[in-house]
Structures are given as C-alpha cells and as structure tokens.
C-alpha cells in the first residue's frame, strides 16, 4: 500500500512534469517556426501570415524578443476574467458548455471538500481501528478515511448526515447548471444567424415507389402534405467510391505541383520511381508520370460520376427537405408524417459541415442489426480489456511486482525506486493502455450508422463512459485477475454487490490519487503543449509537405476531443462523489485538476504574443487592439487552435447531467454497502431514501429541461421567421439552400442537383407519374396528369 511518502513523490514528479510542460509551451509557442502549430485557426481564417517569411534570418526561426519570455504565465489570471457572451460569439456554445463541465465539478467539490475536512476528517482521525489492528499495513492517509472509524461507532452518523448534505448540494448545483445551460441554449438559438439546418429536415427510410424515383416521390409527398411550406429538397447519393477517387486525385495533384515547382526552380526534369511513395520500381519522368496518373483518375472519376447520376441504386432512400420557414421545418421535424411509424422518419438536419456522408449509404433496416451487434461487441470489449487493467493493478503493490518479476527484488527494495513504482508507474501504464481505446469506440459508433459527426461524438462518449465505469473504476477496485473479477460478480447476489465493492473502496484511494495526478495534472499540461501535433507537423513539413496546400493541411488544428475529454471528467467527478464521505483526502487532488484544466481551457492570449506576428489586415489589427484593452477574449486552445467540426448548441448537456447523476447514485449505493459491514445495526438503512430521491431528481430535471435540448419551440421559430421577413423581405431562401446539402464531391462539379422544377409548390394539386399506368391508353401522353394524392 502506497505511503504518504509515495504520494508526495508522485505529486512532485507530476507537478514538475506539469511545470515542465508549461515552460516548454511558453517557449515553443512564441517561436516563429511553431507558429502554425499554436495558431492554426488564424491561418485557416486567412488572418495570419507566416512570420518565417519576413525579418532577419534568425528571427524567422527563433523569437529574439526577451520580453515575451518573462510573461509566459500572464494568461492564467486573465483567463478567469473572461466574459462568457463574447466567448460564445467567437467559439460557439459547444466550447463554452464543455468548459462549464469543469466549472460544474468545481462548484460541487470545493464546498464538499471544506465540509469533509471540517466534519469527516476529524471523525476519521480520532478513531484508532487501524492502530489496534495486528499485521495490517496502513499509512497516514488511511487514518483520514472511514476505515479508521471503529465498527459500531456512532461516528458513522456523521457520514450518513454528510452524505445527505453532499447529495442535496449536488442536486442544487446540477439543477442550477442545467437551468443556466437551457437558458443559454435558448438565447443562442434565438440570436443565431440564418443557417441551412434551421430550415431543413433529414428524412430517412423513404418507401420505394414503382412509378417514381426517390426525388419525384419526395417532391410529391411534401407538396401534398406540406403544400404551403415545402420549398425544395436534395436527395442523397451513395458517392463513397467517388469521394475516394477525388481524394486520391487530390494527393496526386499535390505531387504533380511539387515536381512542377521543382522543375521550374532547377530547369531539370525530376525523376521518380513507380513503387510505393517513389522508393522503388521503374525510374520515370515524375511530371509525365503524375500527369498520366491524374488523367487516368479523371477518366475513372468521370465514369463513376456518371454512374452515380444515372444509376437508381446509387440514390439512397433519404433526403434533405427544406421549407420556407423555420416554423414549418420545426413542425415537420417534430411530428410523425405517416401512418406507418417506420416510414418517412424525420429529424432535424445536422449542419452541412456536421453531416457524416459515409453512413447514408447504409440501408435503414440494417441500422438496428448493426447497433445490436455493436452492443454485443462493446460488452466483450469491456470484458476483455479487464485483462490488461488487472495486470496494471498488480503494479500498484510491491508484492505483485515481486511475484511477477522476481529478478527485480533487489532494485525494488531501494526506497526511491519503490516510491516511483508505487506512486507513478501504475497511472502512466494505465494511460498508455487507454490511448488506443477512443479510436476503437469511434469506429464502433460509425458502424452503428449515425448520420452526423456530433451524434458520433456523443455515442462514442457514452461508450467510453461505460468502459471507464466498468474497467477503470470497478475494475480497479475489485482486485484479482479478470476472470476472478467476473467470478466475484457472478457468484454474488445482486444485493451483495454494493457491499462487496464498498469494502474495497477505501483500499484503492491511493491508486486513484496517483492516477489523478498522472492523467489530470500532467495530462492537462501536456494537452496545452500539443506535443503530438507539434511533432507530426514538423515531420510532415520535413518529409511530406510539397506545396502550400500540404502545409495548410499539415496544421491539423483539431477540435475539442469530446468523446474522450467528457468521460474523463466524469471519472473524476465519480471519484469525488464516491470518496467525499469515505476518504476526503482525495478531493483536493480532483479540485487541483479541475481548476487547472478550467484555467487552461479558458486561458487568454496576451496581445504581445499575437501582435508580433499579426497580419496587416485592418480587421485583424483592430482585433489585436481589442485584445490589448481586454475587450475581446481569446482562448489559447479554443480560439487559436481548435477549429470546431460542428456547433450543436450544447445538445450534449443532458448526457453530462445524466452521467453526474449516475455517479451520485453509485456513490450512495456504495456508501450504503460499506456501512452495512460496520456493525451499526439498521442505522445504515437511513441512507435508503437517497437513491430514491436521486432517481426522482433525475426524472424531474429530464421533464423540466431535456425537451429544450431536443425540440425547437414553435414560438421561437415564428418570432425569428417574422423578424426575418420584416427585415429581409426579398431574400431568396431557395437559392441560399440550393447547394447546402449537396455531397461535397458534387459541389465543384457540373452534376445536376435536381432534374425537377417546383413551379407547382404553391398548389395542392401535384403533377405525378404514379397514376399514369392506371389511366386509359387513349389519354394524350403530352397532357399533364393531375392527382390529389
């Protein structure tokens, strides 16, 4: 069991690591050759130019201004004064809501830590259970836990009462934050500028019609059922193969441009080899080689493009249907269109940039099967991942290491080595095991067939949270091999599981403290350093970048990693809720992580760093002036680096709320199970109302707030429509929406978006080919056929 010395050693290592990362960040970010790594978003916007193109030769690569090295931490206090409305305007509500998760944790745990150290720590410390126990190894940290309170002591009433206090305070904070986010979302949607998704509905599982194409069928259906509001539609093509060809051609064009530029500089025809990446094969003229390759791909692309246009099988039974007003789109998206509830399924269309086009080619009837298979696969993934997790846990004690690696006994007996092994190594090894997991879970979410990137992120986050709950939390608490852990749960009756886990919880506080320090303290500092993007950018820039387009794409600003970041925060919140009444000593470590992460994500960029390399455009100079006056707020990560893939207006907050409530519910059950082993009679039953109250609280908040994150109020839609018609009466909405939901591979082509005009959209009588086969052959085929159905 790790001692206080081990914890101090681990804390020192991680604090030094965090400080080292910050120092490296402070130095690297102001070097001109790293400018594209730490300010990629400004390059994406075109408001920043490379500092390596001007000035003295040395200043193109190294920052020679000594003053900038003295102010590297000035952004921290300034970050706390950040006005939220301006942050929403610039970075979007999703970024602000994500940052508020850290604030939520701080609001919960700072008062809990104060109360715990005032009430519970003295009660735990005055107990003498551990000192009277024979042949029991314990540390000073264990004296601060509930394990030190004698069985049958009336001191356990303090833990029972404080559990109620902790729960009610968590209720209050959760309710307040939910209310704030619901208000922020409503205000954001009400003030948001015009976007295509406000007028558009995604329609899936369109039934086949023997007489009409998918496009004709969609037009006919909505002209009949929404005659006054239907505007236009865009059918969805299965263009995955075409997209692959376009991507491949883009890569070849970059190579062609690179060799063409090289020829213009040297006047010597460049050579290349036809094998992999030009490393082997027949040596040929590079420009002629890539010219022929591009020409060949052009022909393949033309054939595939024509096939997609004409092949009925290339059209997916889904469409983006746009309406004349937000009100009409809201009505359509939130109602059932057909007697058969499995046909003509509607939902709000995602933003055009949020659409995940690859999943539209999946037949709708396959989605249920895919999700069932994925659920089974997720179960086995969680189970089999317990094997490396269990091995990592054996590193948390010296005895386990000596048993697995007996030849290391002499080395482990050295006190300094022992402290590093027990205080630092378990957390870092576990971190490495978890590095590959998010990509696996994202792949599983893509297999499930969700149509938007935001939905994929939320589903991946849900899977990762479940994995963390089972493997990191429960798997770390229940000792033994993976099969032994599974056997433990199978052999126990359901009512005994909380008791069994509750007994193990105090023993694992030290492990979770070290994990928080490794994953939280040093991990957040490493996040701001952007070490991986930094290394990848310079590797690409040295070996792979051939053109300015390549250098532009090599920046990879990325976005907030919600599928990984949010479940990780939830793990810390869960640990805090579980250990607050059991081992309060863990709470300060969580608070330090949350506070540090909150400041890092809200940090304000100082104008001295930006003005040095600023663009000469008037707009950007004005922005820098506002920065100097602390009027416009910047986030070093959110504003300078992250380029969001979408904006969902904090649609993920109900999931955040639900997971915190799950953590609170688990903490109550585990404390109930732990107290049931403390020989206090039936007093532990005093905790039984708490889980019931927690379920009631969740259901109340769900009914009170969740609809505001799923539906769009018709009243708000009508207000925005009325205001827009009054201010822009001549706005051509149909032209605005014409290409919004066209597949990206068609936007630069001459493919016909639709072969139909919509002159009949104002009339409930719709021209259709469906009834043509039912008419008499004497009917003149040139006359229009009218139908009211």
């Amino acid at each position: 069991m790790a001692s206080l010395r081990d914890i101090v050693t681990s804390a020192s290592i991680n604090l030094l690591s965090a400080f080292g990362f910050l120092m490296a960040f402070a130095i690297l970010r102001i070097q001109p050759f790293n400018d594209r790594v730490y300010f990629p978003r400004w390059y994406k916007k075109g408001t920043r130019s490379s500092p390596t193109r001007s000035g003295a030769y040395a200043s193109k690569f190294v920052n020679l201004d000594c003053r900038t090295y003295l102010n590297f931490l000035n952004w921290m206090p300034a970050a706390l004064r950040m006005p939220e409305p301006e942050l929403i305007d610039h970075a979007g509500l999703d970024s602000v809501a994500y940052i508020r998760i850290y604030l939520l944790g701080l609001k919960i745990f700072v008062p809990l830590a104060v109360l715990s150290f005032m009430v519970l720590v003295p009660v735990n410390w005055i107990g003498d259970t551990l000192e009277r126990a024979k042949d029991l190894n314990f540390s000073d940290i264990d004296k601060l836990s509930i394990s030190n309170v004698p069985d049958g002591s009336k001191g356990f009433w303090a833990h029972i009462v404080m559990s109620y206090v902790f729960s009610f305070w968590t209720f209050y904070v959760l309710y307040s934050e939910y209310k704030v986010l619901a208000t922020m979302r409503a205000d954001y949607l009400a003030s948001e500028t015009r976007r295509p998704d406000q007028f558009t509905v995604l329609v899936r599982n369109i039934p086949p019609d023997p007489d009409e194409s998918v496009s004709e069928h969609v037009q006919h259906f909505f002209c009949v059922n929404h005659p006054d509001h239907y505007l236009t539609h865009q059918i969805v093509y299965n263009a995955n193969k075409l997209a692959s060809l376009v991507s491949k051609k883009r890569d070849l064009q970059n190579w062609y441009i690179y060799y063409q530029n090289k020829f213009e500089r040297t006047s010597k025809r460049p050579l290349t080899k036809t094998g992999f990446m030009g490393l082997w094969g027949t040596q040929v003229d590079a420009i002629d080689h890539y010219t022929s390759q591009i020409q060949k791909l052009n022909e393949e692309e033309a054939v595939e493009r024509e096939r997609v246009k004409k092949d009925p099988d290339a059209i997916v039974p889904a469409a983006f249907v746009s309406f004349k007003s937000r009100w009409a789109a809201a009505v359509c998206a939130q109602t059932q269109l057909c007697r058969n509830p499995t046909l003509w399924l509607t939902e709000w269309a995602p933003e055009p940039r949020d659409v995940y086009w690859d999943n539209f080619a999946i037949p709708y009837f396959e989605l249920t099967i895919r999700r069932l298979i994925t659920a089974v696969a997720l179960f086995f993934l969680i189970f089999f991942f317990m094997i490396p997790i269990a091995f990592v846990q054996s590193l948390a004690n010296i005895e386990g290491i000596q048993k697995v690696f007996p030849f290391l006994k002499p080395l482990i007996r050295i006190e300094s080595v022992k402290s590093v092994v027990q205080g630092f190594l378990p957390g870092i090894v576990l971190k490495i095991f978890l590095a590959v997991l998010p990509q696996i879970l994202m792949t599983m979410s893509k297999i499930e067939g969700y149509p938007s990137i935001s939905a994929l992120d939320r589903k991946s986050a849900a899977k990762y949270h479940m994995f963390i709950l089972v493997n990191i939390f429960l798997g770390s608490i229940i000792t033994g091999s993976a099969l032994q852990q599974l056997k433990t749960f199978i052999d126990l009756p359901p009512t005994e599981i909380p008791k069994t886990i509750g007994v193990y919880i105090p023993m694992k506080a030290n492990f979770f403290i070290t994990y928080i320090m490794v994953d939280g303290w040093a991990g957040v500092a490493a996040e701001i350093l952007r070490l991986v993007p930094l290394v990848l950018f310079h590797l690409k820039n040295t070996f792979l970048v051939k053109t300015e387009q390549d250098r532009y794409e090599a920046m990879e600003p990325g976005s907030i990693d919600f599928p990984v970041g949010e479940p990780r925060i939830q793990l810390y919140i869960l640990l805090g809720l579980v250990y607050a009444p059991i081992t309060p000593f863990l709470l300060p470590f969580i608070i330090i992580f949350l506070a540090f992460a909150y400041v890092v994500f809200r940090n304000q960029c100082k104008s001295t760093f930006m003005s040095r390399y600023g663009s000469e455009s008037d707009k950007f100079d004005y922005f820098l002036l506002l920065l100097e006056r602390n009027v416009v707020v910047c986030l070093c990560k959110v504003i300078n680096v992250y380029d969001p893939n979408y904006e969902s207006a904090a649609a993920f907050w109900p999931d955040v709320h639900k997971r915190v409530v799950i953590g609170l519910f688990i903490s109550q059950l585990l404390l109930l199970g732990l107290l049931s082993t403390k020989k206090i009679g039936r007093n532990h039953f005093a905790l039984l109302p708490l889980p019931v109250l927690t379920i009631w609280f969740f259901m109340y908040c769900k009914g009170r707030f969740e609809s505001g994150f799923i539906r769009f109020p018709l009243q708000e839609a009508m207000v925005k429509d009325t205001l827009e018609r009054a201010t822009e009466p001549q706005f051509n909405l149909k032209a605005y929406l014409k290409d919004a939901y066209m597949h990206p591979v068609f936007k630069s082509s001459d493919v016909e978006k639709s072969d139909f005009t919509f002159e009949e959209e104002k009339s409930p009588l719709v021209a259709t080919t469906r009834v043509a086969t039912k008419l008499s052959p004497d009917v003149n085929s040139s006359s229009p056929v009218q139908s009211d159905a």
Side-chain angles (χ1 to χ4, degrees):
M1 181 173 290
S3 65
L4 183 59
R5 177 178 177 176
D6 299 333
I7 299 297
V8 171
T9 300
S10 179
S12 301
I13 293 174
N14 286 283
L15 286 175
L16 288 174
S17 300
F19 183 75
F21 283 130
L22 288 177
M23 289 294 295
F25 168 69
I27 295 173
L28 291 174
R29 67 171 291 191
I30 59 177
Q31 305 309 317
F33 64 91
N34 291 329
D35 204 55
R36 291 178 181 268
V37 178
Y38 294 106
F39 300 94
R41 190 169 183 184
W42 297 114
Y43 284 92
K44 292 279 187 180
K45 287 187 173 184
T47 55
R48 192 177 184 90
S49 59
S50 175
T52 62
R53 295 180 178 178
S54 59
Y57 181 79
S59 64
K60 293 180 180 181
F61 302 97
V62 180
N63 186 352
L64 302 178
D65 187 355
C66 298
R67 292 172 298 176
T68 58
Y69 293 92
L70 302 177
N71 302 318
F72 75 99
L73 288 180
N74 282 10
W75 53 268
M76 283 191 173
L80 300 177
R81 299 192 297 268
M82 211 173 271
E84 212 164 52
E86 294 180 9
L87 175 58
I88 293 175
D89 290 340
H90 191 89
L93 185 56
D94 280 346
S95 299
V96 173
Y98 182 83
I99 294 171
R100 288 190 73 94
I101 303 176
Y102 294 101
L103 184 60
L104 172 69
L106 288 172
K107 287 181 177 180
I108 291 175
F109 292 123
V110 170
L112 261 60
V114 173
L115 290 174
S116 296
F117 277 82
M118 289 177 58
V119 179
L120 297 182
V121 168
V123 173
N124 296 340
W125 181 263
I126 61 176
D128 57 355
T129 301
L130 297 178
E131 293 181 348
R132 288 190 289 106
K134 297 180 180 180
D135 300 326
L136 180 64
N137 294 324
F138 64 91
S139 65
D140 291 336
I141 297 176
D142 297 312
K143 292 182 180 180
L144 303 178
S145 73
I146 197 172
S147 300
N148 200 38
V149 181
D151 291 349
S153 171
K154 293 184 179 180
F156 287 115
W157 275 106
H159 299 82
I160 294 174
V161 173
M162 294 308 297
S163 181
Y164 273 90
V165 174
F166 295 166
S167 297
F168 286 130
W169 173 252
T170 306
F171 290 164
Y172 171 76
V173 174
L174 283 173
Y175 180 86
S176 300
E177 282 298 303
Y178 215 153
K179 185 176 181 181
V180 168
L181 263 296
T183 303
M184 292 172 65
R185 175 180 167 86
D187 293 342
Y188 181 81
L189 294 176
S191 62
E192 196 175 28
T193 56
R194 184 189 296 110
R195 292 194 329 192
D197 54 293
Q198 297 171 351
F199 301 88
T200 307
V201 173
L202 172 60
V203 183
R204 305 186 75 178
N205 209 24
I206 300 171
D209 189 280
D211 301 308
E212 294 181 323
S213 66
V214 173
S215 184
E216 291 175 314
H217 198 186
V218 170
Q219 175 198 348
H220 172 248
F221 181 87
F222 282 95
C223 284
V224 169
N225 295 287
H226 291 267
D228 299 326
H229 304 286
Y230 167 72
L231 180 62
T232 185
H233 72 274
Q234 175 62 57
I235 58 175
V236 179
Y237 293 94
N238 179 3
N240 293 345
K241 182 179 179 181
L242 179 59
S244 176
L245 292 174
V246 170
S247 177
K248 186 177 180 180
K249 186 177 76 171
R250 187 183 301 116
D251 293 337
L252 293 177
Q253 287 172 337
N254 284 340
W255 280 106
Y256 173 80
I257 294 172
Y258 167 70
Y259 284 114
Q260 187 67 34
N261 292 340
K262 186 176 180 180
F263 172 65
E264 293 175 358
R265 290 195 306 267
T266 62
S267 299
K268 182 179 178 181
R269 299 288 291 188
L271 301 176
T272 187
K273 295 182 179 180
T274 57
F276 176 72
M277 295 187 68
L279 298 178
W280 56 72
T282 306
Q283 194 172 56
V284 296
D285 183 282
I287 295 178
D288 293 341
H289 172 70
Y290 284 106
T291 300
S292 63
Q293 290 291 314
I294 292 172
Q295 182 61 35
K296 181 180 178 182
L297 272 181
N298 281 336
E299 296 172 359
E300 293 182 22
E301 180 185 337
V303 172
E304 178 64 17
R305 193 183 298 276
E306 196 66 23
R307 185 195 70 79
V308 170
K309 289 171 55 178
K310 296 182 177 180
D311 186 1
D313 294 334
I315 299 177
V316 177
F320 292 97
V321 180
S322 299
F323 296 84
K324 299 176 182 178
S325 65
R326 297 175 181 84
W327 183 90
V331 170
C332 181
Q334 296 164 183
T335 54
Q336 181 175 317
L337 299 188
C338 178
R339 176 182 296 180
N340 186 341
T342 64
L343 301 177
W344 297 99
L345 301 178
T346 61
E347 59 183 279
W348 277 108
E351 284 184 285
R353 60 176 174 168
D354 188 21
V355 176
Y356 188 71
W357 294 99
D358 291 353
N359 279 350
F360 282 94
I362 302 173
Y364 189 82
F365 71 90
E366 287 186 12
L367 293 180
T368 303
I369 300 174
R370 283 170 169 257
R371 291 169 188 176
L372 176 62
I373 295 174
T374 302
V376 175
L378 180 64
F379 170 80
F380 283 101
L381 175 67
I382 291 175
F383 168 71
F384 284 109
F385 232 86
M386 293 178 74
I387 297 174
I389 296 298
F391 175 75
V392 169
Q393 294 314 303
S394 68
L395 297 177
N397 62 85
I398 295 297
E399 293 78 12
I401 297 177
Q402 291 176 344
K403 185 181 297 184
V404 178
F405 307 107
F407 59 90
L408 293 178
K409 286 183 180 180
L411 181 63
I412 293 176
R413 288 172 183 170
I414 302 174
E415 284 297 322
S416 58
V417 175
K418 178 181 176 182
S419 297
V420 171
V421 169
Q422 288 196 315
F424 183 74
L425 189 59
I428 196 67
V429 174
L430 183 58
K431 182 74 172 175
I432 294 173
F433 271 122
L434 295 177
V436 299
L437 180 66
Q439 291 302 320
I440 298 174
L441 298 179
M442 176 58 74
T443 301
M444 295 174 70
S445 297
K446 290 178 180 178
I447 292 174
E448 289 180 310
Y450 294 101
S452 65
I453 300 173
S454 57
L456 292 174
D457 280 353
R458 291 197 295 271
K459 296 303 179 181
S460 296
K463 293 179 178 65
Y464 195 42
H465 176 258
M466 186 180 302
F467 178 90
I468 285 178
L469 183 62
V470 174
N471 281 287
I472 308 302
F473 181 67
L474 297 180
S476 297
I477 289 174
I478 304 297
T479 57
S481 68
L483 295 177
Q484 289 173 338
Q485 293 176 31
L486 183 63
K487 186 175 184 300
T488 299
F489 285 107
I490 293 176
D491 293 343
L492 285 174
T495 56
E496 294 295 315
I497 292 178
K499 181 188 299 185
T500 303
I501 299 176
V503 172
Y504 284 114
I505 284 178
M507 306 177 188
K508 289 297 179 179
N510 294 333
F511 169 79
F512 286 121
I513 288 174
T514 61
Y515 180 77
I516 291 168
M517 289 187 290
V518 172
D519 184 69
W521 297 6
V524 170
E527 168 70 16
I528 198 172
L529 179 61
R530 302 198 78 218
L531 184 60
V532 173
L534 176 68
V535 173
L536 289 179
F537 173 79
H538 287 297
L539 287 176
K540 291 178 180 179
N541 197 39
T542 303
F543 299 106
L544 300 179
V545 168
K546 301 173 289 296
T547 65
E548 279 301 315
Q549 179 65 23
D550 289 343
R551 188 170 289 106
Y552 178 84
E553 294 176 355
M555 291 188 295
E556 292 185 359
S559 58
I560 291 178
D561 197 1
F562 179 81
V564 176
E566 191 269 344
R568 185 178 67 170
I569 305 170
Q570 293 290 350
L571 172 62
Y572 299 137
I573 293 176
L574 170 64
L575 292 175
L577 293 172
V578 168
Y579 279 98
I582 296 175
T583 308
F585 186 75
L586 182 138
L587 292 180
F589 296 89
I590 295 177
I591 292 173
I592 291 173
F593 159 74
L594 293 172
F596 186 39
Y598 179 73
V599 173
V600 164
F601 276 95
R602 281 185 61 97
N603 78 78
Q604 185 181 33
C605 295
K606 302 303 290 180
S607 59
T608 55
F609 291 153
M610 298 185 63
S611 60
R612 177 176 175 83
Y613 309 121
S615 168
E616 294 185 358
S617 68
D618 293 338
K619 182 177 180 180
F620 192 57
D621 288 342
Y622 177 67
F623 182 78
L624 293 175
L625 176 63
L626 293 178
L627 270 173
E628 277 186 36
R629 298 178 181 177
N630 290 320
V631 176
V632 174
V633 175
C634 291
L635 291 163
C636 190
K637 294 292 289 186
V638 173
I639 290 187
N640 285 334
V641 178
Y642 290 149
D643 187 21
N645 294 325
Y646 55 83
E647 174 57 54
S648 68
F652 57 80
W653 193 261
D655 295 331
V656 174
H657 176 87
K658 178 177 67 177
R659 288 167 196 153
V660 176
V661 172
I662 289 173
L664 181 62
F665 183 79
I666 291 173
S667 70
Q668 294 163 352
L669 291 181
L670 296 184
L671 180 61
L672 178 62
L674 177 61
L675 291 181
S676 67
T677 66
K678 295 298 183 178
K679 300 179 182 179
I680 56 174
R682 299 180 180 275
N683 292 341
H684 64 280
F685 288 131
L687 288 173
L688 282 177
L690 270 183
V692 178
L693 288 174
T694 301
I695 295 174
W696 172 84
F697 170 77
F698 172 74
M699 298 302 296
Y700 173 78
C701 289
K702 182 181 177 69
R704 172 67 175 82
F705 298 114
E706 190 173 290
S707 61
F709 291 83
I710 300 174
R711 302 183 180 90
F712 187 63
L714 295 181
Q715 181 184 23
E716 296 289 337
M718 182 60 74
V719 169
K720 288 181 71 69
D721 290 335
T722 303
L723 181 62
E724 197 169 89
R725 282 194 295 268
T727 56
E728 300 179 81
Q730 303 301 321
F731 182 77
N732 189 341
L733 183 61
K734 188 173 183 179
Y736 172 73
L737 297 172
K738 184 179 180 181
D739 298 338
Y741 286 97
M742 186 189 304
H743 197 291
V745 297
F746 295 142
K747 286 191 175 181
S748 59
S749 69
D750 296 326
V751 67
E752 295 183 30
K753 288 80 175 178
S754 176
D755 295 329
F756 308 103
T757 56
F758 306 105
E759 299 299 330
E760 71 280 10
E761 61 192 24
K762 296 181 180 180
S763 172
L765 298 178
V766 183
T768 176
T769 61
R770 177 180 300 147
V771 296
T773 57
K774 301 178 183 179
L775 297 177
S776 168
D778 297 333
V779 177
N780 190 338
S781 60
S782 63
S783 62
V785 179
Q786 299 292 332
S787 171
D788 59 354

